[in-house]
Amino acid sequence: MKTLTLGITQFAASEDTAANLDAAERVLRAAAAKGAQVVCLQEMCSTLYFCRAEDPALFGLAEAIPGPATERFASVARELGVVVVLPLFERRAAGLHHNTAAVIDADGRYLGKYRKMHIPEDPGFHEKFYFAPGDLGYRVWETAYGRIGVLICWDQWYPEAARLAAMQGAEVLLYPTAIGWLESEREALGAAQHTAWETVQRGHAVANGCFVAASNRIGREGDTVSCGQSFVANPYGEVVARAPVGEETAEAVVCDLGQLEEFRNIWPFFRDRRIDSYGDILRRWIDEPAPPR
Amino acid sequence: MKTLTLGITQFAASEDTAANLDAAERVLRAAAAKGAQVVCLQEMCSTLYFCRAEDPALFGLAEAIPGPATERFASVARELGVVVVLPLFERRAAGLHHNTAAVIDADGRYLGKYRKMHIPEDPGFHEKFYFAPGDLGYRVWETAYGRIGVLICWDQWYPEAARLAAMQGAEVLLYPTAIGWLESEREALGAAQHTAWETVQRGHAVANGCFVAASNRIGREGDTVSCGQSFVANPYGEVVARAPVGEETAEAVVCDLGQLEEFRNIWPFFRDRRIDSYGDILRRWIDEPAPPR
């Protein structure tokens, strides 16, 4: 049985970058101690989710990738023998920043990075101000323990993104995330919003016959309460592990990659894709439906 | 509040086509009596799910669309003032058949048809023998009660199909279905397979911010037990109604179309689609991932 043990993590961040990186290392080590081989940290793990307002001073929080944080976690990855997905606020040039995840192999090698492709802009989530849309496309990496695809937060709502990672052979899709409830919406919509968030990602697991895992934030930041509940879903879309809403978590979840093979052999969706018929996916919207026939 | 009341239905079929059509009319009338405005019948509602083996004699079960069954149900639709999605085995020419759904408006007008685009071929589901792949693309119809998209069974596993219907403005995606458990798999995989089936469709509701409903079969046919559980999901992916596994059902479910608007205003996924980056969706598979950067 070929298995891959995924580490999902979540912790509360503060304004203290050094303390955040310490917390990230703490949950990474805790997940590794439980047997995790591939550990996903939360979106922008070195900072608060600072996109609640637009403030040019906050670009000072960004750093190069690879850079100091990547080097620090590369050394921990090598020591522990784990693959690390390290999400950071990336400075590419003055006035050009990305929401990025570095991928480090179990021997400490920096494998590359994924830059968040889908950028939200909503009350409390002013990401279009901070992040240029990713320009590296959808990426997968062959790591010591399996082939992983990395996507970030808002990407999770887009079946296209999951599909394009899965079509490169990803056995696992990892989603570092910072999703929370706005105070003003939580009572009316909180449960429904969490269901939507988890369900769409479970749907990606099913549609692509792969594992999906998300590492989210916890804690209150301004008017937003992160909803935690980092999870792993198997190819059937079953949630096989789910963290609590508000507790720091470092969980190791054994994924049987044979289940992926079994699922796809019984339901070979990739065989039957109608690639001749998907052209309009490249449009923004279809304003004129075909006339009735 | 603009609402659309969806009718989901399920019934056990037999070898008697006339009796099956009577049953289809029975559940249609029952759903309408409960207030349903748009009623979806199960996949190939006039026959057994006959694709369990390959038998050329069974092409005799097919009929033209529009044809006798369409005319019969157009008359019932007009009488009841309901929109009907009527799935039938379509004869297009000798040796050319489709798995099709006719769409009839509430005034009895035949609006057109959808031909199943994704065709499975698996033990117990020999559809590639019986059905030519659909050549009409993804379709939506403006009906008396709302704009509906129709997809059929195996299509339900493909986010591309749901997306292409939603991009034409579908407020509801309707999936006539014939999914069942193989006797040999049910104990080990039955629950997981049902979860996968329901979850991927709930995921389409979320990813597209629309309602999704499926009308499935019930009962045993050969080695296959249909899993029933026809359902409606709202844009949050919440299951708002679910029929039992094995009981004939005609349910009417009120859908608040304002919820669709609210959902998309809070989470405007269509705004942020990276249509510049989806080109590889048109490939079968991506054999050579981009090199690490």
Side-chain angles (χ1 to χ4, degrees), chain B residues 132-289:
Chain B
D135 59 346
L136 298 178
Y138 308 95
R139 317 284 316 274
V140 307
W141 289 272
E142 193 69 47
T143 72
Y145 303 112
R147 199 173 180 90
I148 65 170
V150 176
L151 296 159
I152 300 176
C153 202
W154 196 240
D155 293 324
Q156 74 215 349
W157 304 104
Y158 295 85
E160 294 90 345
R163 182 68 102 200
L164 288 163
M167 283 172 63
Q168 295 174 68
E171 296 163 304
V172 179
L173 302 179
L174 295 167
Y175 287 92
T177 297
I179 189 170
W181 293 297
L182 292 180
E183 196 92 72
S184 56
E185 290 173 0
R186 183 168 178 183
E187 192 176 329
L189 293 175
Q193 289 181 341
H194 174 259
T195 296
W197 174 76
E198 189 179 85
T199 300
V200 75
Q201 292 174 88
R202 293 169 58 199
H204 302 330
V206 177
N208 297 293
C210 64
F211 290 85
V212 165
S215 286
N216 192 25
R217 290 170 165 262
I218 59 169
R220 170 182 298 278
E221 301 185 15
D223 291 339
T224 306
V225 176
S226 292
C227 49
Q229 300 177 74
S230 301
F231 71 95
V232 177
N234 69 18
Y236 292 92
E238 296 175 311
V239 174
V240 293
R242 184 191 291 116
V245 172
E247 284 171 41
E248 182 168 306
T249 299
E251 211 46 71
V253 183
V254 178
C255 301
D256 171 8
L257 296 181
Q259 194 177 37
L260 179 159
E261 191 93 9
E262 170 197 81
F263 180 95
R264 291 195 192 174
N265 284 346
I266 289 180
W267 283 336
F269 304 144
F270 287 104
R271 180 193 64 190
D272 296 331
R273 294 179 68 237
R274 287 292 305 274
I275 54 176
D276 60 308
S277 73
Y278 299 156
D280 282 348
I281 291 271
L282 305 184
R283 295 172 65 180
R284 172 69 56 210
W285 187 253
I286 303 172
D287 298 288
E288 295 297 333

Side-chain angles (χ1 to χ4, degrees), chain A residues 110-113 117-122 128 133-134 136 138-139 147 154 157-160 163-164 166-169 185 189 192-193 195-196 199-200 202-203 206-207 236 238 262 264 266-275 277-286 289 291-293, chain B residues 110-113 117-122 128 133-134 136 138-139 147 154 157-160 163-164 166-169 185 189 192-193 195-196 199-200 202-203 206-207 236 238 262 264 266-275 277-286 289 291-293:
Chain A
Y110 168 73
L111 292 181
K113 60 190 162 195
M117 291 288 284
H118 298 88
I119 308 293
E121 179 63 37
D122 299 301
K128 287 197 197 294
L136 298 177
Y138 308 94
R139 317 284 316 275
R147 199 173 181 92
W154 197 240
W157 304 103
Y158 295 86
E160 294 91 343
R163 182 66 102 201
L164 287 163
M167 283 172 62
Q168 296 174 67
E185 290 174 0
L189 293 176
Q193 289 181 340
T195 296
T199 300
V200 75
R202 294 168 58 199
V206 176
Y236 292 92
E238 296 175 310
E262 170 197 80
R264 291 195 193 173
I266 289 179
W267 283 335
F269 304 144
F270 288 104
R271 180 193 64 191
D272 296 332
R273 293 180 67 238
R274 287 292 305 275
I275 55 176
S277 72
Y278 299 157
D280 282 347
I281 290 273
L282 307 184
R283 296 171 64 180
R284 173 69 57 210
W285 188 254
I286 304 171
R293 270 172 286 198
Chain B
Y110 167 74
L111 293 181
K113 61 191 161 193
M117 291 288 284
H118 298 89
I119 308 293
E121 178 63 38
D122 300 300
K128 288 197 198 295
L136 298 178
Y138 308 95
R139 317 284 316 274
R147 199 173 180 90
W154 196 240
W157 304 104
Y158 295 85
E160 294 90 345
R163 182 68 102 200
L164 288 163
M167 283 172 63
Q168 295 174 68
E185 290 173 0
L189 293 175
Q193 289 181 341
T195 296
T199 300
V200 75
R202 293 169 58 199
V206 177
Y236 292 92
E238 296 175 311
E262 170 197 81
R264 291 195 192 174
I266 289 180
W267 283 336
F269 304 144
F270 287 104
R271 180 193 64 190
D272 296 331
R273 294 179 68 237
R274 287 292 305 274
I275 54 176
S277 73
Y278 299 156
D280 282 348
I281 291 271
L282 305 184
R283 295 172 65 180
R284 172 69 56 210
W285 187 253
I286 303 172
R293 270 172 284 198

